[in-house]
Amino acid sequence: MSTFLIKNARILGGEPRDILIADGRIAEVGTGLEADGAQVVDATGLIALPGLVDLHTHLREPGREDNETVLTGTRAAAKGGFTAVHAMANTNPVADTAGVVEQVWRLGREHGYCDVHPVGAVTEGIAGKKLAELGAMADSAANVRVFSDDGHCVSDAVIMRRALEYVKAFDGVIAQHAQEPRLTEGAQMNEGEVSDRLGLQGWPAVAEEAIIARDCLLAGHVGSRLHICHVSTAGSVELIRWAKGKGWNITAEVTPHHLFLTDACCESSPSGRSYDPIYKVNPPLRTQADVDAVRAGLADGTIDCVATDHAPHAVEDKETEWADAAMGMIGLETALPVVQAAMVDTGLLDWTQVADRMSARPAEIGRLEGQGRPLEAGSPANITLYDPEYRAQVDASSFASKSRNTPYTGLELPGRVVATFLRGRPTVLEGKLV
């Protein structure tokens, strides 16, 4: 392995330090470091963070390689500063067997831009009827510890209880897509004043909150780990805060877009368009009051982490009538700039807390060894170098993702990832893939 000497990096936003990387690990941290033969990386003005970890990424392979592949998705992840992602199970075929999760895991190892940890389905075919092979996926080479039917709620309380009981044996976690299906039939966007004006069927906040309340009670009863995906409402934050106060093992995530965008975008987007399907997402964009609540929840630790819910779609699936458009938006390459704009530049988080919410905590929830570690001697050299002073308009044509369904095109966002190191090997240098 090559030796790298990162000079004058501000670790977690602190004073400039040098970081010596050798044999895939951080060999030394200090000032005035020198190393014969080392490749020097000038990090003056850059912030050094532990490599980011995403608990919620859709890589689409197998089955929808026209939208994304493990290769293109992990290249996008590296450009966004991520050194590990969790690949969601709603592929075709569904990742509900040891064979499928091992296929995705091996593709990640083959391409090498970041670690890929498959998420196993909770139920067969994510149909909500029968538990999938949870134990076999846990025992597989992929070592699955996170299980989710994301895109579908495990709405049957008995099946949800059984899943929570089952994963206790190997310290797994059920990641719930909280959406009561009967309350969201035909729903198109957040239920409220904007949906009334646009004449689109509303998606009530209670549809999310009812499932969260039920599942927190079940997790508390069973004594198992529950993770709540893409929290989007003020009521959900309060329910999670209450459940954590009980001492139950509950964790939660919020997406960058739910920290930054509101349902008002559906009526009047920055481009001046209304009914723009780029803003159609599950769960839907909510009100400014909800955005304020999830920001506060992330700041005080009620919400544990940021997860992108990177959901790539082909152009024809998004550039169509609202009712027919697919739900979701990409987010790996813009996650850190959006978090900076929503949380750092507003004074809600500092860079130490960003490292906690985007690296350490998601690594802990996913039970990932070697990720989310402090940038100190002996740690694996998973490092992101970030320029917080950079400003530019988002240009989706430069993205590594196969898809272009970003809501930020043309918007000016702060910051950019300058370099990403995966166990001492650069995957991005000077903002470009290596």
Side-chain angles (χ1 to χ4, degrees):
M1 287 187 177
S2 299
T3 301
F4 288 87
L5 180 58
I6 299 172
K7 298 289 290 184
N8 299 314
R10 296 170 54 213
I11 297 176
L12 305 183
E15 293 299 314
R17 306 288 295 279
D18 301 338
I19 305 171
L20 179 62
I21 299 172
D23 298 322
R25 292 188 171 271
I26 297 174
E28 189 177 358
V29 176
T31 55
L33 299 185
E34 296 182 1
D36 291 340
Q39 182 173 337
V40 176
V41 177
D42 182 7
T44 302
L46 304 184
I47 292 173
L49 301 169
L52 307 184
V53 176
D54 191 13
L55 274 174
H56 196 144
T57 306
H58 296 274
L59 296 180
R60 302 302 191 207
E61 189 175 10
R64 287 306 304 266
E65 289 83 357
D66 57 325
N67 294 341
E68 195 78 284
T69 64
V70 174
L71 173 60
T72 60
T74 54
R75 285 166 65 93
K79 284 193 70 178
F82 291 90
T83 53
V85 300
H86 289 75
M88 302 308 286
N90 56 342
T91 50
N92 184 18
V94 171
D96 57 3
T97 66
V100 178
V101 296
E102 287 185 351
Q103 175 189 355
V104 175
W105 174 74
R106 288 195 171 94
L107 283 169
R109 286 172 62 87
E110 174 185 329
H111 297 313
Y113 281 92
C114 74
D115 290 343
V116 176
H117 300 275
V119 173
V122 178
T123 65
E124 291 184 357
I126 58 174
K129 302 298 183 183
K130 181 181 178 182
L131 286 184
E133 299 176 3
L134 307 183
M137 288 187 280
D139 291 340
S140 73
N143 193 35
V144 177
R145 287 299 179 269
V146 182
F147 299 86
S148 180
D149 278 2
D150 184 62
H152 296 79
C153 178
V154 182
S155 59
D156 187 310
V158 173
I159 291 177
M160 187 63 181
R161 174 181 175 170
R162 288 173 179 165
L164 288 165
E165 290 174 331
Y166 199 108
V167 299
K168 284 180 65 178
F170 44 80
D171 193 29
V173 61
I174 302 297
Q176 176 67 294
H177 175 109
Q179 177 190 350
E180 169 50 57
R182 294 294 300 278
L183 291 174
T184 56
E185 291 180 2
Q188 297 291 312
M189 65 170 295
N190 180 58
E191 182 178 281
E193 295 179 3
V194 178
S195 65
D196 288 345
R197 285 196 295 270
L198 293 178
L200 294 174
Q201 185 165 334
W203 187 308
V206 71
E208 177 177 307
E209 295 157 7
I211 294 296
I212 291 176
R214 183 202 73 177
D215 288 352
C216 285
L217 290 166
L218 285 173
H221 177 71
V222 170
S224 188
R225 292 204 295 142
L226 170 70
H227 180 73
I228 307 298
C229 296
H230 40 52
V231 172
S232 71
T233 78
S236 296
V237 177
E238 286 305 309
L239 286 165
I240 295 164
R241 187 175 285 123
W242 168 80
K244 286 190 168 190
K246 294 284 188 180
W248 298 338
N249 203 343
I250 312 294
T251 56
E253 70 189 36
V254 63
T255 72
H257 50 271
H258 286 112
L259 290 168
F260 195 72
L261 304 172
T262 72
D263 59 353
C265 295
C266 305
E267 184 174 32
S268 179
S269 69
S271 65
R273 294 177 59 189
S274 58
Y275 298 96
D276 188 342
I278 198 68
Y279 299 105
K280 186 178 180 182
V281 65
N282 182 349
L285 301 176
R286 304 289 188 178
T287 67
Q288 186 62 54
D290 292 309
V291 169
D292 293 341
V294 295
R295 286 184 179 186
L298 183 65
D300 69 19
T302 299
I303 297 175
D304 297 82
C305 62
V306 176
T308 69
D309 196 5
H310 175 82
H313 291 292
V315 172
E316 61 269 20
D317 292 331
K318 289 298 281 188
E319 293 188 6
T320 183
E321 293 183 359
W322 181 283
D324 297 327
M327 293 182 177
M329 52 185 65
I330 58 175
L332 285 168
E333 295 172 70
T334 53
L336 197 47
V338 172
V339 169
Q340 180 184 342
M343 302 298 297
V344 179
D345 291 352
T346 57
L348 292 170
L349 291 181
D350 60 25
W351 289 109
T352 298
Q353 293 167 317
V354 170
D356 177 67
R357 308 302 196 272
M358 297 189 73
S359 183
R361 288 207 201 187
E364 169 63 18
I365 293 166
R367 298 298 193 252
L368 304 187
E369 295 184 5
Q371 296 285 352
R373 298 278 296 277
L375 298 183
E376 59 188 21
S379 291
N382 298 318
I383 303 170
T384 299
L385 298 179
Y386 183 74
D387 181 0
E389 301 302 323
Y390 183 84
R391 295 290 187 279
Q393 288 187 342
V394 175
D395 177 11
S397 68
S398 67
F399 284 2
S401 173
K402 214 171 190 179
S403 294
R404 297 291 181 264
N405 54 308
T406 172
Y408 307 114
T409 295
L411 291 181
E412 184 176 281
L413 289 177
R416 70 164 183 148
V417 172
V418 176
T420 307
F421 289 83
L422 176 64
R423 285 183 293 279
R425 180 177 64 84
T427 56
V428 173
L429 282 176
E430 297 181 358
K432 298 178 181 179
L433 291 161
V434 178

